[in-house]
Amino acid sequence: MRKAIYPGSFDPITNGHMDIIGRASRLFDTVYVCVAQNLNKVPYFTLEERVAMVKEACQELPNVEVIATEALVVETARRVGATAIVRGLRAVTDFEYEFQLAAANEYMDKNIETVFLTASAGKGFISSSTIKEFRRFGTEIRPLVPPCVIAYFEKKERE
Ligand code: ADP
C-alpha cells in the first residue's frame, strides 16, 4: 500500500488544491490531506472550519482521508504510515520555499520522499490568499473553489 500525505494550510481549500488531490489520489492508494498549522501565517478560517471544508470538498474521493495536525508533517506522515509528502508547484516563486522545505523534511526522515506535482494549466494563479482578496473586493470566486467554500465565507462574514 502506497500512502501519501498532502499537507497545507487550506485557508481555504481551492480548485488548485483539489486538482493536486485528485491527481495524487490516482498515484497513491491512500492520500491523507493534512490540514496543518503554518506558524508563519495567521489563518482566516479556524482549524476546525478548514478541516470541515476539506472533508466536504473531498467526500466523493474514496481513497482520500482528511486529518489535522499540530505536529511536524514528517511525524504525522510516520504516524499514518505515509512514505511520500505531496506538494504542489505553481511558479518559480514557490520553488525556493518548497525546495528548502523538502530538504528540511529529508533531514528529519530520509525514508519519506517529497513528490512535486506542477499546477495544471490555468490553475497556477489560484492561491488561498488570492481567493481571500477576491472575496474581500467582490470578485467572483465560484469557479475557483469547491462549492462548499462559499457557504463558509458567508457564515464567517456574518460573524
Ligand atoms: P502552505 O501554507 O503549507 O503552503 P497551502 O494551502 O498554501 O499551504 O498550499 C499547500 C500546497 O499546495 C503547497 O505545496 C502549494 O504550493 C500547493 N498549491 C496551492 N495552490 C496550488 C495550485 N493552484 N496549483 C498547484 N499547487 C498548489
Side-chain angles (χ1 to χ4, degrees):
M1 283 281 275
R2 291 265 164 211
K3 296 181 182 178
I5 188 166
Y6 176 42
S9 311
F10 305 104
D11 185 38
I13 187 160
T14 69
N15 286 347
H17 294 127
M18 291 305 292
D19 178 65
I20 298 288
I21 295 168
R23 286 157 64 201
S25 76
R26 291 192 286 278
L27 291 172
F28 294 94
D29 298 304
T30 306
V31 175
Y32 294 93
V33 179
C34 179
V35 184
Q37 303 267 76
N38 182 333
L39 298 178
N40 301 312
K41 295 181 186 171
V42 180
Y44 176 69
F45 291 104
T46 65
L47 188 65
E48 291 71 29
E49 287 165 337
R50 287 180 279 138
V51 169
M53 264 188 273
V54 178
K55 277 193 177 155
E56 263 184 79
C58 296
Q59 62 193 359
E60 269 155 40
L61 295 166
N63 62 335
V64 172
E65 287 187 35
V66 181
I67 57 175
T69 190
E70 290 185 16
L72 287 168
V73 167
V74 163
E75 274 171 24
T76 312
R78 280 198 209 113
R79 181 168 61 77
V80 298
T83 50
I85 297 172
V86 172
R87 295 286 288 175
L89 284 178
R90 283 161 293 191
V92 189
T93 42
D94 277 341
F95 186 81
E96 201 172 325
Y97 172 68
E98 293 292 342
F99 191 78
Q100 192 271 337
L101 197 63
N105 286 332
E106 186 198 334
Y107 171 79
M108 285 185 274
D109 193 330
K110 289 196 173 20
N111 297 314
I112 300 178
E113 201 67 58
T114 300
V115 176
F116 292 107
L117 297 181
T118 51
S120 290
K123 296 214 162 58
F125 75 98
I126 310 173
S127 70
S128 299
S129 330
T130 307
I131 295 297
K132 284 177 281 195
E133 213 161 280
F134 279 179
R135 180 76 190 175
R136 185 156 173 218
F137 294 103
T139 301
E140 184 58 80
I141 59 167
R142 273 171 221 272
L144 309 176
V145 293
C148 69
V149 170
I150 305 295
Y152 281 90
F153 267 112
E154 286 169 352
K155 183 169 169 282
K156 199 85 181 160
E157 287 154 3
R158 284 195 301 269
E159 278 175 9

